[in-house]
Amino acid sequence: MSDKISKRRIMLVGTGFVGMSFAYSMLHEKGVDEMVLVDVNTDKARGEAMDLTDGLVYADTKMKVYAGNYADAEFCNIVVLTAGAAQKPGQSRLELVKINANITKGVCEELKKNKFDGILIVANNPVDIMTYVAWKASGLPKEHVIGSGTVLDTARLRFALADLLQFADSNMHTYILGEHGDSSFVSWTNSYIGCKSLLEYLDEKNISLMELQNIYIEVRDKAYKIIDLKKATYYGIGLALKRIVSAVLNNERCILPVSSYQDGQYGKTGYFIGTPTVVGSDGATQVISLPLNENDQNRFDNSFETLAATIRDNLGDIIDLD
């Protein structure tokens, strides 16, 4: 048995707020042998590794945490990419395109050069576009490149619905689809409380659809509000990344709304976007096609085309778009 197969190693590229929120959350994930931190600021990576190691006595895992470099990628099962410029107050995620595309490309070329062939999880914004760049630059199969997509958006939605309707959030079966950004949407006709249609339940309780729309708007704009208040968001996405990594590590084959490659599902092909997807040890193995009504399909088309046009208009000089 090779060392790579016998040990479960995770590499984190980027030790900023998002990366370290994820890394800290991984101290409560059992069964990980090693976590290696990589950053252009090597002192920062070393210091973060030392700080995390100090807490291992009280953690749920006894993994080894250390600062490394891209040469370690060959022996890692998962790489989590959070390196990139942060979204500033008043700035949309799409405005970060060129800056973060160059960073993502550079990281993925290093991973490729160092023979990484595991699962790559992308979290830098705009995440759907960065997932596409990562796929192009890494040379990995499309199933092995997963963006964090709308996992965090969906968590925000389920929390808000659970609070409104007074059910456990685990019984809220609904997803935000599309771009992790302003063109996202909720397919309310595919939303359930347990096994009961959410719309039927609201009708029975005389709860207006406007309340649902208000919740969606609050969820869609929540990141902007947090950034205005504290300059950045990181705890929520850190935990969302842990959820995706856990699904891969434990071969859960659970359905998560990650940014996955579209190959004809929802009538679209060629790019990555947030859709319910089966996630396990082999990556994003199956995109689940929900039956969208005409209005929702139009919203999906708009979201997809927004991402596609941004890629075509901005990244032709950075990556091969063919």
Side-chain angles (χ1 to χ4, degrees), residues 117-159:
D117 63 355
I119 306 298
L120 175 59
I121 299 173
V122 181
N124 51 346
N125 279 318
V127 69
D128 305 284
I129 295 173
M130 292 308 106
T131 307
Y132 178 81
V133 172
W135 171 54
K136 284 286 189 175
S138 68
L140 292 168
K142 58 184 182 294
E143 297 85 2
H144 289 185
V145 183
I146 305 172
S148 56
T150 55
V151 174
L152 175 57
D153 315 64
T154 296
R156 289 169 174 159
L157 176 65
R158 292 180 179 177
F159 182 86

Side-chain angles (χ1 to χ4, degrees), residues 163-208:
D163 186 55
L164 171 69
L165 303 175
Q166 294 297 292
F167 285 96
D169 53 32
S170 59
N171 292 130
M172 296 294 146
H173 304 305
T174 184
Y175 300 96
I176 288 186
L177 283 76
E179 173 205 359
H180 173 55
D182 298 339
S183 67
S184 66
F185 69 98
V186 185
S187 177
W188 296 116
T189 58
N190 289 290
S191 300
Y192 296 86
I193 302 173
C195 57
K196 187 175 184 64
S197 164
L198 174 62
L199 294 181
E200 287 182 11
Y201 181 82
L202 294 182
D203 187 56
E204 291 173 4
K205 298 298 181 180
N206 294 315
I207 299 173
S208 93

Side-chain angles (χ1 to χ4, degrees), residues 10 21-23 25-26 28-29 78 80 121 146-148 150-152 154-155 158 175 235-258 277-280:
I10 297 171
S21 294
F22 160 72
S25 73
M26 287 303 296
H28 302 285
E29 176 73 27
I78 298 172
V80 177
I121 299 173
I146 305 172
S148 56
T150 55
V151 174
L152 175 57
T154 296
R158 292 180 179 177
Y175 300 96
Y235 297 131
I237 186 59
L239 287 165
L241 287 169
K242 178 183 181 294
R243 181 68 193 93
I244 300 169
V245 168
S246 295
V248 174
L249 283 174
N250 302 313
N251 194 27
E252 291 184 30
R253 299 194 60 75
C254 60
I255 297 174
L256 296 171
V258 296
T277 304
V278 179
V279 179

